[in-house]
Amino acid sequence: MASGFFALLDDIATLMDDVAAMSKITTKKTAGILGDDLAVNAEKASGFVSSRELPVLWAITKGSFLNKLIILPVAFLLSAFLPWAVTLILILGGVYLAFEGAEKVYGFFVPHKVEPAVAALENPSKSEVLDLENKKIKSAILTDFILSVEIVIIALGTVVGESILFQVLVVSVVAVIATIGVYGIVALIVRMDDFGLRLIQLGNGKGILKALGNFLVQALPKVIKSLSVIGTLALLLVSGGIFVHNLEFLHHVLESWPSFLREFIVGLIVGFLALLLFKLVKALIGKFRD
């Protein structure tokens, strides 16, 4: 009896060790999406009145957890009954990632007017401010849903051949780490300028505290911008890796090249093809409406 109990404990310990090891590997594979998730949410959670930044971020975080509660059961059911659908969704997600990355590259090299998602108001009332805030929160949660699908599917793709219990544990751990890690870092980023102002006040506007405070205040927009660039590169690398490793006819494309360069080029090519198709379809729809 006792030996059976200790054997069970040993099996559980081994399983947890395997889950921890695979969670670490899986988190690395989703790092590209997490970088983009971080950049997007840092941008969406900034621009509010200082006292509202953390409440807004907490509302988005709760929405992110709800998103994953919806996505995870569906992903596990697909893995259990339609495992081929996981690979299909993974590839489709890769196309979306490549498209998003190529669109950002296109927007950088071919500047064009971008309409603001939420119209700015002059001298808004309190109710109008709250309405705008709620719209930004809903927009952030919707974006998080799309990115969460990608994170979960990529994570699931790394353990798709394992038992369902192992899949549930690994992917759930990655989902929790993704949410806490991303929004924890975003909270630090959006409060960077306030912390800098506090340092300036503590130093009475002079000395090393003033210099450090000014550095933090001035660094915030640069940090958000750099995260956007890193996130774009990561999108193309991650999507290229998805195609190279899951589409047999791409296994030997640019095989002698360094893997990161190979995956970046493949992701960029697929992304621009998807962007071209999107623009053609959009133009055709516009003509039919006219």
Side-chain angles (χ1 to χ4, degrees):
M1 184 76 177
S3 61
F5 175 73
F6 285 115
L8 176 61
L9 289 180
D10 184 61
D11 289 341
I12 293 173
T14 301
L15 176 62
M16 290 299 101
D17 186 56
D18 291 342
V19 167
M22 186 55 73
S23 297
K24 184 177 179 180
I25 294 170
T26 305
T27 303
K28 287 182 179 179
K29 287 183 177 292
T30 59
I33 310 299
L34 295 178
D36 187 61
D37 201 1
L38 177 60
V40 169
N41 285 293
E43 183 179 359
K44 287 184 178 292
S46 59
F48 295 97
V49 177
S50 179
S51 62
R52 294 297 302 158
E53 284 179 337
L54 290 183
V56 166
L57 186 58
W58 175 237
I60 298 171
T61 304
K62 290 189 290 184
S64 178
F65 273 115
L66 180 59
N67 284 340
K68 291 175 178 65
L69 284 175
I70 296 169
I71 295 165
L72 286 171
V74 175
F76 296 139
L77 285 171
L78 286 175
S79 179
F81 299 104
L82 294 172
W84 58 267
V86 175
T87 302
L88 177 60
I89 294 173
L90 184 62
I91 293 171
L92 292 175
V95 173
Y96 173 80
L97 293 177
F99 166 79
E100 190 178 7
E103 188 177 38
K104 290 180 180 180
V105 173
Y106 174 81
F108 178 79
F109 287 104
V110 185
H112 55 287
K113 186 177 179 181
V114 178
E115 295 294 330
V118 178
L121 297 174
E122 292 184 7
N123 301 319
S125 65
K126 184 176 180 181
S127 61
E128 289 173 329
V129 169
L130 290 175
D131 185 51
L132 290 175
E133 185 178 289
N134 288 332
K135 286 181 180 178
K136 287 196 74 174
I137 290 171
K138 288 177 181 178
S139 173
I141 292 174
L142 177 60
T143 302
D144 176 272
F145 184 87
I146 296 169
L147 292 171
S148 293
V149 169
E150 295 161 357
I151 290 168
V152 169
I153 293 299
I154 290 175
L156 191 58
T158 64
V159 291
V160 73
E162 303 292 339
S163 67
I164 189 65
L165 174 60
F166 192 80
Q167 292 178 29
V168 169
L169 291 173
V170 170
V171 179
S172 298
V173 167
V174 171
V176 171
I177 290 174
T179 304
I180 295 175
V182 166
Y183 289 100
I185 295 173
V186 169
L188 293 176
I189 290 173
V190 298
R191 300 299 289 182
M192 184 189 297
D193 54 346
D194 292 302
F195 183 60
L197 288 172
R198 182 62 178 161
L199 289 178
I200 293 171
Q201 292 170 356
L202 288 173
N204 294 318
K206 57 184 178 181
I208 190 170
L209 289 179
K210 177 188 175 183
L212 182 57
N214 282 330
F215 171 77
L216 291 175
V217 171
Q218 295 171 12
L220 178 58
K222 295 177 182 177
V223 168
I224 292 177
K225 187 174 181 180
S226 64
L227 281 173
S228 180
V229 173
I230 293 169
T232 299
L233 294 174
L235 283 173
L236 295 171
L237 285 169
V238 171
S239 61
I242 290 172
F243 303 137
V244 168
H245 296 299
N246 291 279
L247 297 175
E248 189 174 350
F249 66 91
L250 289 177
H251 287 349
H252 304 293
V253 172
L254 304 176
E255 196 171 15
S256 61
W257 289 36
S259 59
F260 76 93
L261 187 57
R262 174 191 181 195
E263 291 168 2
F264 175 79
I265 291 174
V266 170
L268 190 62
I269 291 172
V270 174
F272 272 109
L273 289 173
L275 180 60
L276 178 61
L277 179 62
F278 172 77
K279 288 187 174 295
L280 286 173
V281 171
K282 188 177 179 181
L284 288 173
I285 292 173
K287 284 185 178 181
F288 279 118
R289 285 182 177 175
D290 293 337

